[in-house]
Amino acid sequence: MLDIDLRLLLPSSQSVYVLVFYFVYLAVAGEILPGKVIRGVVLSDGSQLRYRCNGLLALTLLVAILGISAKLGVLSLLVVADRGLELLSATFIFCVLVTLVLYITGRYSSDKSSSLKPHVSGNLVHDWWFGIQLNPQFMSIDLKFFFVRAGMMGWLLINLSILAKCFQDGSLSRSMILYQIFCALYILDYFVHEEYMTSTWDIIAERLGFMLVFGDLLWIPFTFSIQACNCPGWWLLYNKVELSVPAIVDNCFVFLIGYMVFRGANKQKHIFKKNPKTLIWGKPPVVVGGKLLASGYWGIARHCNYLGDLMLALSFSLPCGISSPVPYFYPIYLLILLIWRERRDEERCAEKYKEVWTEYLRLVPYRILPYVY
């Protein structure tokens, strides 16, 4: 591990330019590029937000622009790999500033709509951390949807910069290839099914505060890529790992099973919310109280999608071998996060659905992992 020079944490003008270009591009591309317009869930006041799901096109165009710019010598593909800490600190400062603005504007808002009605507890730290408004906007841009898109794209761009550095250093390994393929497939799949994001817990229930902004813009891209890095040195660049063929096969198996469970569960829930009568695994869905799905993956565990997500996170780390716990930070963190989120979700559902929730627990007794938890 290399010693960290704290001066590398100071944002440079170049890191700020990169960040500004990135956000401006996403804002413009999100508004002008064609894409499927999706109606969000019905809010308590009967309104529905609209989301333009053109993330895949925006990502493809951005990668093409960066590739052409690098070919013309306008920029270096290594800018993220070489200035990772600067970009991290610049992003952190941005997160703090934008959430302070969200707190101030939300605190003094008089809007009565479900999206913008302020929820003020009186505790400054609590309100800043969890947020005050459900779906704040800036120049007609839904910030919550915008930030999670920026984080997922940022994760891929970090990985591609690391890959470029591997080619430059001649250190490309089977481990790095496997890691890059798994992450790229996961991220691209996210944008192919971007409309499913509109029915997730984050979008429909969480208010936009520091927790979500920091999680989307900094935590996702900079810590989810830790398998490829150990700041400031890139982990798989400076730690040679050679996987055997059986290890590669096992890793692929974990990824595929995790993907099947994760995508299948989220797809079933999204389709059910759009049309509760759609068949699930060839049978009419079992629905408790007219609202709670207890069929398919959701009849196996109440948060079966979390199990798939955890298996995918593990598959991203397995290419690094078992020589260090550092690459396993992401799946360990995700396990803690999802258990915490699952507990919060269940408390909310118990209060909301009451006796219907009790019946649902009887039909689906397991939280995440059947017969274990």
Side-chain angles (χ1 to χ4, degrees), residues 284-332:
V286 176
V287 183
V288 183
K291 293 183 178 181
L292 300 176
L293 179 62
S295 285
Y297 290 106
W298 302 96
I300 297 173
R302 301 195 293 271
H303 301 272
C304 203
N305 57 326
Y306 289 175
L307 175 61
D309 214 357
L310 288 167
M311 292 184 68
L312 287 170
L314 181 62
S315 74
F316 300 155
S317 299
L318 287 174
C320 300
I322 57 174
S323 61
S324 171
V326 172
Y328 291 86
F329 172 82
Y330 171 38
I332 293 172

Short mmCIF file of all heavy atoms in Angstrom, two decimals, residues 284-332:
data_model
loop_
_atom_site.label_atom_id
_atom_site.label_comp_id
_atom_site.label_asym_id
_atom_site.label_seq_id
_atom_site.Cartn_x
_atom_site.Cartn_y
_atom_site.Cartn_z
N PRO A 284 -51.45 -16.84 -11.41
CA PRO A 284 -51.95 -15.56 -10.89
C PRO A 284 -51.20 -15.19 -9.61
O PRO A 284 -50.92 -16.07 -8.78
CB PRO A 284 -53.44 -15.83 -10.61
CG PRO A 284 -53.77 -17.00 -11.49
CD PRO A 284 -52.53 -17.83 -11.55
N PRO A 285 -50.88 -13.95 -9.42
CA PRO A 285 -50.11 -13.56 -8.23
C PRO A 285 -50.91 -13.69 -6.94
O PRO A 285 -52.12 -13.47 -6.92
CB PRO A 285 -49.77 -12.09 -8.51
CG PRO A 285 -50.84 -11.61 -9.43
CD PRO A 285 -51.19 -12.79 -10.29
N VAL A 286 -50.21 -14.08 -5.88
CA VAL A 286 -50.81 -14.09 -4.54
C VAL A 286 -50.59 -12.71 -3.94
O VAL A 286 -49.45 -12.26 -3.81
CB VAL A 286 -50.17 -15.17 -3.65
CG1 VAL A 286 -50.74 -15.09 -2.23
CG2 VAL A 286 -50.36 -16.54 -4.25
N VAL A 287 -51.68 -12.04 -3.61
CA VAL A 287 -51.60 -10.67 -3.11
C VAL A 287 -52.29 -10.60 -1.76
O VAL A 287 -53.43 -11.04 -1.62
CB VAL A 287 -52.25 -9.68 -4.10
CG1 VAL A 287 -52.09 -8.25 -3.60
CG2 VAL A 287 -51.65 -9.84 -5.48
N VAL A 288 -51.60 -10.05 -0.78
CA VAL A 288 -52.14 -9.91 0.57
C VAL A 288 -52.69 -8.50 0.74
O VAL A 288 -51.98 -7.52 0.52
CB VAL A 288 -51.07 -10.18 1.64
CG1 VAL A 288 -51.68 -10.09 3.04
CG2 VAL A 288 -50.44 -11.54 1.42
N GLY A 289 -53.95 -8.42 1.10
CA GLY A 289 -54.56 -7.12 1.34
C GLY A 289 -54.68 -6.25 0.11
O GLY A 289 -54.83 -5.03 0.22
N GLY A 290 -54.58 -6.87 -1.06
CA GLY A 290 -54.71 -6.13 -2.30
C GLY A 290 -53.49 -5.32 -2.69
O GLY A 290 -53.48 -4.67 -3.73
N LYS A 291 -52.40 -5.38 -1.88
CA LYS A 291 -51.24 -4.54 -2.15
C LYS A 291 -49.89 -5.27 -2.04
O LYS A 291 -48.95 -4.94 -2.76
CB LYS A 291 -51.21 -3.35 -1.18
CG LYS A 291 -52.36 -2.36 -1.37
CD LYS A 291 -52.22 -1.18 -0.42
CE LYS A 291 -53.35 -0.18 -0.65
NZ LYS A 291 -53.22 1.00 0.26
N LEU A 292 -49.80 -6.25 -1.16
CA LEU A 292 -48.50 -6.88 -0.88
C LEU A 292 -48.33 -8.16 -1.69
O LEU A 292 -49.08 -9.13 -1.50
CB LEU A 292 -48.38 -7.17 0.62
CG LEU A 292 -48.48 -5.94 1.53
CD1 LEU A 292 -48.43 -6.35 3.00
CD2 LEU A 292 -47.37 -4.95 1.21
N LEU A 293 -47.33 -8.16 -2.57
CA LEU A 293 -47.08 -9.30 -3.44
C LEU A 293 -46.39 -10.43 -2.66
O LEU A 293 -45.38 -10.21 -1.99
CB LEU A 293 -46.19 -8.86 -4.61
CG LEU A 293 -45.78 -9.94 -5.61
CD1 LEU A 293 -47.00 -10.51 -6.31
CD2 LEU A 293 -44.80 -9.35 -6.64
N ALA A 294 -46.94 -11.63 -2.75
CA ALA A 294 -46.37 -12.79 -2.07
C ALA A 294 -46.19 -13.94 -3.04
O ALA A 294 -46.38 -15.11 -2.69
CB ALA A 294 -47.27 -13.21 -0.90
N SER A 295 -45.84 -13.63 -4.29
CA SER A 295 -45.61 -14.63 -5.33
C SER A 295 -44.23 -14.47 -5.93
O SER A 295 -43.59 -13.42 -5.77
CB SER A 295 -46.66 -14.49 -6.43
OG SER A 295 -47.90 -14.99 -6.03
N GLY A 296 -43.79 -15.49 -6.65
CA GLY A 296 -42.49 -15.43 -7.32
C GLY A 296 -41.37 -15.27 -6.31
O GLY A 296 -41.36 -15.91 -5.24
N TYR A 297 -40.42 -14.43 -6.64
CA TYR A 297 -39.31 -14.18 -5.73
C TYR A 297 -39.80 -13.59 -4.42
O TYR A 297 -39.22 -13.82 -3.36
CB TYR A 297 -38.30 -13.23 -6.37
CG TYR A 297 -37.52 -13.84 -7.51
CD1 TYR A 297 -37.80 -13.49 -8.83
CD2 TYR A 297 -36.52 -14.77 -7.27
CE1 TYR A 297 -37.09 -14.06 -9.88
CE2 TYR A 297 -35.80 -15.34 -8.31
CZ TYR A 297 -36.09 -14.98 -9.62
OH TYR A 297 -35.39 -15.54 -10.66
N TRP A 298 -40.89 -12.83 -4.49
CA TRP A 298 -41.42 -12.15 -3.30
C TRP A 298 -42.20 -13.08 -2.40
O TRP A 298 -42.63 -12.67 -1.32
CB TRP A 298 -42.26 -10.95 -3.73
CG TRP A 298 -41.43 -10.01 -4.56
CD1 TRP A 298 -41.35 -9.95 -5.91
CD2 TRP A 298 -40.52 -9.03 -4.06
NE1 TRP A 298 -40.46 -8.99 -6.31
CE2 TRP A 298 -39.94 -8.40 -5.19
CE3 TRP A 298 -40.15 -8.59 -2.79
CZ2 TRP A 298 -39.00 -7.39 -5.08
CZ3 TRP A 298 -39.22 -7.57 -2.67
CH2 TRP A 298 -38.66 -6.99 -3.80
N GLY A 299 -42.38 -14.31 -2.84
CA GLY A 299 -42.96 -15.33 -1.97
C GLY A 299 -41.88 -16.16 -1.30
O GLY A 299 -42.16 -16.92 -0.37
N ILE A 300 -40.64 -16.00 -1.76
CA ILE A 300 -39.50 -16.72 -1.18
C ILE A 300 -38.94 -15.95 0.02
O ILE A 300 -38.62 -16.52 1.06
CB ILE A 300 -38.41 -16.94 -2.24
CG1 ILE A 300 -38.94 -17.82 -3.37
CG2 ILE A 300 -37.16 -17.55 -1.62
CD1 ILE A 300 -37.99 -17.96 -4.54
N ALA A 301 -38.79 -14.65 -0.15
CA ALA A 301 -38.30 -13.79 0.93
C ALA A 301 -38.86 -12.39 0.71
O ALA A 301 -39.10 -11.98 -0.42
CB ALA A 301 -36.77 -13.76 0.97
N ARG A 302 -39.05 -11.65 1.79
CA ARG A 302 -39.68 -10.34 1.70
C ARG A 302 -38.79 -9.30 1.01
O ARG A 302 -39.27 -8.28 0.54
CB ARG A 302 -40.06 -9.85 3.10
CG ARG A 302 -41.01 -10.80 3.82
CD ARG A 302 -41.65 -10.16 5.02
NE ARG A 302 -40.74 -9.87 6.11
CZ ARG A 302 -40.43 -10.70 7.09
NH1 ARG A 302 -40.94 -11.94 7.09
NH2 ARG A 302 -39.64 -10.34 8.07
N HIS A 303 -37.49 -9.58 0.99
CA HIS A 303 -36.55 -8.69 0.32
C HIS A 303 -35.57 -9.53 -0.50
O HIS A 303 -34.36 -9.41 -0.39
CB HIS A 303 -35.78 -7.83 1.33
CG HIS A 303 -36.67 -6.99 2.20
ND1 HIS A 303 -37.09 -5.73 1.84
CD2 HIS A 303 -37.25 -7.25 3.40
CE1 HIS A 303 -37.87 -5.23 2.79
NE2 HIS A 303 -37.98 -6.14 3.74
N CYS A 304 -36.14 -10.36 -1.36
CA CYS A 304 -35.32 -11.29 -2.15
C CYS A 304 -34.38 -10.53 -3.09
O CYS A 304 -33.31 -11.03 -3.43
CB CYS A 304 -36.23 -12.22 -2.95
SG CYS A 304 -35.45 -13.77 -3.43
N ASN A 305 -34.78 -9.35 -3.52
CA ASN A 305 -33.91 -8.55 -4.38
C ASN A 305 -32.61 -8.18 -3.68
O ASN A 305 -31.56 -8.06 -4.31
CB ASN A 305 -34.64 -7.28 -4.85
CG ASN A 305 -35.13 -6.43 -3.70
OD1 ASN A 305 -35.52 -6.93 -2.65
ND2 ASN A 305 -35.13 -5.12 -3.89
N TYR A 306 -32.65 -8.04 -2.36
CA TYR A 306 -31.43 -7.74 -1.61
C TYR A 306 -30.45 -8.91 -1.67
O TYR A 306 -29.24 -8.72 -1.72
CB TYR A 306 -31.76 -7.43 -0.15
CG TYR A 306 -32.47 -6.11 0.08
CD1 TYR A 306 -32.91 -5.75 1.34
CD2 TYR A 306 -32.70 -5.22 -0.97
CE1 TYR A 306 -33.56 -4.53 1.57
CE2 TYR A 306 -33.35 -4.02 -0.76
CZ TYR A 306 -33.77 -3.68 0.51
OH TYR A 306 -34.40 -2.49 0.73
N LEU A 307 -30.98 -10.13 -1.65
CA LEU A 307 -30.12 -11.31 -1.76
C LEU A 307 -29.39 -11.30 -3.09
O LEU A 307 -28.17 -11.55 -3.15
CB LEU A 307 -30.96 -12.58 -1.63
CG LEU A 307 -30.22 -13.90 -1.84
CD1 LEU A 307 -29.10 -14.07 -0.83
CD2 LEU A 307 -31.19 -15.09 -1.78
N GLY A 308 -30.10 -10.99 -4.18
CA GLY A 308 -29.45 -10.92 -5.49
C GLY A 308 -28.40 -9.83 -5.53
O GLY A 308 -27.30 -10.02 -6.09
N ASP A 309 -28.70 -8.69 -4.94
CA ASP A 309 -27.75 -7.57 -4.91
C ASP A 309 -26.49 -7.96 -4.15
O ASP A 309 -25.37 -7.61 -4.55
CB ASP A 309 -28.42 -6.36 -4.25
CG ASP A 309 -27.94 -5.04 -4.85
OD1 ASP A 309 -27.06 -5.08 -5.73
OD2 ASP A 309 -28.46 -3.98 -4.45
N LEU A 310 -26.64 -8.68 -3.04
CA LEU A 310 -25.49 -9.10 -2.25
C LEU A 310 -24.63 -10.11 -3.00
O LEU A 310 -23.39 -10.06 -2.92
CB LEU A 310 -25.96 -9.69 -0.92
CG LEU A 310 -26.52 -8.68 0.09
CD1 LEU A 310 -27.24 -9.39 1.23
CD2 LEU A 310 -25.40 -7.79 0.63
N MET A 311 -25.26 -11.01 -3.74
CA MET A 311 -24.50 -11.98 -4.53
C MET A 311 -23.72 -11.28 -5.64
O MET A 311 -22.57 -11.62 -5.92
CB MET A 311 -25.44 -13.03 -5.11
CG MET A 311 -26.05 -13.95 -4.09
SD MET A 311 -27.08 -15.26 -4.83
CE MET A 311 -25.81 -16.24 -5.65
N LEU A 312 -24.34 -10.27 -6.26
CA LEU A 312 -23.63 -9.50 -7.29
C LEU A 312 -22.45 -8.76 -6.69
O LEU A 312 -21.35 -8.74 -7.27
CB LEU A 312 -24.60 -8.52 -7.95
CG LEU A 312 -25.64 -9.12 -8.89
CD1 LEU A 312 -26.69 -8.08 -9.28
CD2 LEU A 312 -24.97 -9.68 -10.14
N ALA A 313 -22.65 -8.15 -5.53
CA ALA A 313 -21.56 -7.44 -4.87
C ALA A 313 -20.40 -8.39 -4.55
O ALA A 313 -19.22 -8.04 -4.72
CB ALA A 313 -22.06 -6.78 -3.59
N LEU A 314 -20.74 -9.59 -4.11
CA LEU A 314 -19.71 -10.59 -3.83
C LEU A 314 -18.97 -10.98 -5.10
O LEU A 314 -17.74 -11.15 -5.09
CB LEU A 314 -20.34 -11.81 -3.18
CG LEU A 314 -19.39 -12.95 -2.80
CD1 LEU A 314 -18.37 -12.47 -1.77
CD2 LEU A 314 -20.17 -14.15 -2.25
N SER A 315 -19.70 -11.11 -6.21
CA SER A 315 -19.05 -11.50 -7.47
C SER A 315 -18.08 -10.43 -7.96
O SER A 315 -17.10 -10.75 -8.63
CB SER A 315 -20.11 -11.78 -8.54
OG SER A 315 -20.69 -10.58 -9.04
N PHE A 316 -18.31 -9.15 -7.62
CA PHE A 316 -17.37 -8.10 -8.01
C PHE A 316 -16.06 -8.20 -7.23
O PHE A 316 -15.01 -7.76 -7.70
CB PHE A 316 -17.99 -6.72 -7.74
CG PHE A 316 -19.26 -6.44 -8.48
CD1 PHE A 316 -20.18 -5.52 -7.99
CD2 PHE A 316 -19.57 -7.10 -9.66
CE1 PHE A 316 -21.36 -5.26 -8.67
CE2 PHE A 316 -20.75 -6.86 -10.34
CZ PHE A 316 -21.64 -5.93 -9.83
N SER A 317 -16.13 -8.77 -6.02
CA SER A 317 -14.95 -8.85 -5.16
C SER A 317 -14.16 -10.15 -5.33
O SER A 317 -12.94 -10.17 -5.12
CB SER A 317 -15.37 -8.70 -3.69
OG SER A 317 -15.99 -7.46 -3.45
N LEU A 318 -14.84 -11.22 -5.69
CA LEU A 318 -14.18 -12.52 -5.79
C LEU A 318 -13.00 -12.55 -6.77
O LEU A 318 -12.03 -13.30 -6.54
CB LEU A 318 -15.20 -13.59 -6.18
CG LEU A 318 -16.18 -14.00 -5.07
CD1 LEU A 318 -17.23 -14.96 -5.61
CD2 LEU A 318 -15.44 -14.62 -3.89
N PRO A 319 -13.00 -11.77 -7.87
CA PRO A 319 -11.82 -11.79 -8.75
C PRO A 319 -10.54 -11.34 -8.06
O PRO A 319 -9.44 -11.60 -8.56
CB PRO A 319 -12.21 -10.80 -9.87
CG PRO A 319 -13.69 -10.85 -9.91
CD PRO A 319 -14.11 -11.01 -8.49
N CYS A 320 -10.65 -10.68 -6.90
CA CYS A 320 -9.47 -10.21 -6.18
C CYS A 320 -8.87 -11.28 -5.27
O CYS A 320 -7.86 -11.03 -4.61
CB CYS A 320 -9.83 -8.98 -5.34
SG CYS A 320 -10.45 -7.59 -6.31
N GLY A 321 -9.49 -12.47 -5.22
CA GLY A 321 -8.95 -13.51 -4.36
C GLY A 321 -9.25 -13.24 -2.90
O GLY A 321 -10.09 -12.41 -2.56
N ILE A 322 -8.52 -13.93 -2.01
CA ILE A 322 -8.77 -13.79 -0.58
C ILE A 322 -7.53 -13.33 0.18
O ILE A 322 -7.42 -13.52 1.38
CB ILE A 322 -9.28 -15.13 0.00
CG1 ILE A 322 -8.25 -16.25 -0.27
CG2 ILE A 322 -10.64 -15.49 -0.56
CD1 ILE A 322 -8.61 -17.57 0.40
N SER A 323 -6.61 -12.70 -0.53
CA SER A 323 -5.37 -12.28 0.11
C SER A 323 -5.53 -11.04 0.98
O SER A 323 -4.69 -10.75 1.82
CB SER A 323 -4.29 -12.03 -0.94
OG SER A 323 -4.70 -10.98 -1.82
N SER A 324 -6.63 -10.30 0.78
CA SER A 324 -6.85 -9.07 1.53
C SER A 324 -8.34 -8.84 1.72
O SER A 324 -9.14 -9.15 0.82
CB SER A 324 -6.23 -7.88 0.78
OG SER A 324 -6.61 -6.65 1.39
N PRO A 325 -8.74 -8.26 2.87
CA PRO A 325 -10.16 -7.95 3.08
C PRO A 325 -10.59 -6.66 2.38
O PRO A 325 -11.79 -6.40 2.26
CB PRO A 325 -10.25 -7.78 4.61
CG PRO A 325 -8.89 -7.31 5.01
CD PRO A 325 -7.93 -8.02 4.09
N VAL A 326 -9.62 -5.86 1.91
CA VAL A 326 -9.95 -4.56 1.32
C VAL A 326 -10.95 -4.67 0.17
O VAL A 326 -11.94 -3.92 0.13
CB VAL A 326 -8.67 -3.83 0.86
CG1 VAL A 326 -9.01 -2.57 0.07
CG2 VAL A 326 -7.80 -3.47 2.07
N PRO A 327 -10.76 -5.57 -0.80
CA PRO A 327 -11.72 -5.64 -1.92
C PRO A 327 -13.12 -6.07 -1.51
O PRO A 327 -14.05 -5.92 -2.29
CB PRO A 327 -11.08 -6.68 -2.86
CG PRO A 327 -9.65 -6.73 -2.48
CD PRO A 327 -9.63 -6.49 -1.01
N TYR A 328 -13.25 -6.59 -0.29
CA TYR A 328 -14.55 -7.06 0.17
C TYR A 328 -15.29 -6.00 0.99
O TYR A 328 -16.32 -6.28 1.60
CB TYR A 328 -14.39 -8.35 0.98
CG TYR A 328 -13.97 -9.51 0.11
CD1 TYR A 328 -12.62 -9.74 -0.17
CD2 TYR A 328 -14.91 -10.34 -0.49
CE1 TYR A 328 -12.23 -10.77 -1.00
CE2 TYR A 328 -14.53 -11.37 -1.33
CZ TYR A 328 -13.19 -11.58 -1.59
OH TYR A 328 -12.81 -12.60 -2.42
N PHE A 329 -14.77 -4.80 0.95
CA PHE A 329 -15.43 -3.70 1.66
C PHE A 329 -16.85 -3.49 1.14
O PHE A 329 -17.79 -3.31 1.92
CB PHE A 329 -14.62 -2.41 1.49
CG PHE A 329 -15.32 -1.19 2.03
CD1 PHE A 329 -15.27 -0.89 3.37
CD2 PHE A 329 -16.03 -0.35 1.19
CE1 PHE A 329 -15.93 0.23 3.88
CE2 PHE A 329 -16.69 0.77 1.68
CZ PHE A 329 -16.63 1.06 3.03
N TYR A 330 -17.00 -3.51 -0.17
CA TYR A 330 -18.31 -3.24 -0.76
C TYR A 330 -19.37 -4.25 -0.33
O TYR A 330 -20.45 -3.86 0.17
CB TYR A 330 -18.19 -3.15 -2.28
CG TYR A 330 -19.50 -3.10 -3.03
CD1 TYR A 330 -20.58 -2.39 -2.54
CD2 TYR A 330 -19.65 -3.76 -4.25
CE1 TYR A 330 -21.78 -2.33 -3.24
CE2 TYR A 330 -20.85 -3.71 -4.94
CZ TYR A 330 -21.91 -3.00 -4.43
OH TYR A 330 -23.09 -2.96 -5.11
N PRO A 331 -19.17 -5.58 -0.50
CA PRO A 331 -20.23 -6.50 -0.08
C PRO A 331 -20.49 -6.47 1.42
O PRO A 331 -21.64 -6.64 1.85
CB PRO A 331 -19.72 -7.87 -0.54
CG PRO A 331 -18.27 -7.70 -0.78
CD PRO A 331 -18.07 -6.28 -1.19
N ILE A 332 -19.44 -6.24 2.24
CA ILE A 332 -19.65 -6.16 3.68
C ILE A 332 -20.48 -4.93 4.04
O ILE A 332 -21.43 -5.00 4.82
CB ILE A 332 -18.29 -6.13 4.42
CG1 ILE A 332 -17.57 -7.47 4.24
CG2 ILE A 332 -18.50 -5.82 5.91
CD1 ILE A 332 -16.15 -7.47 4.75
#
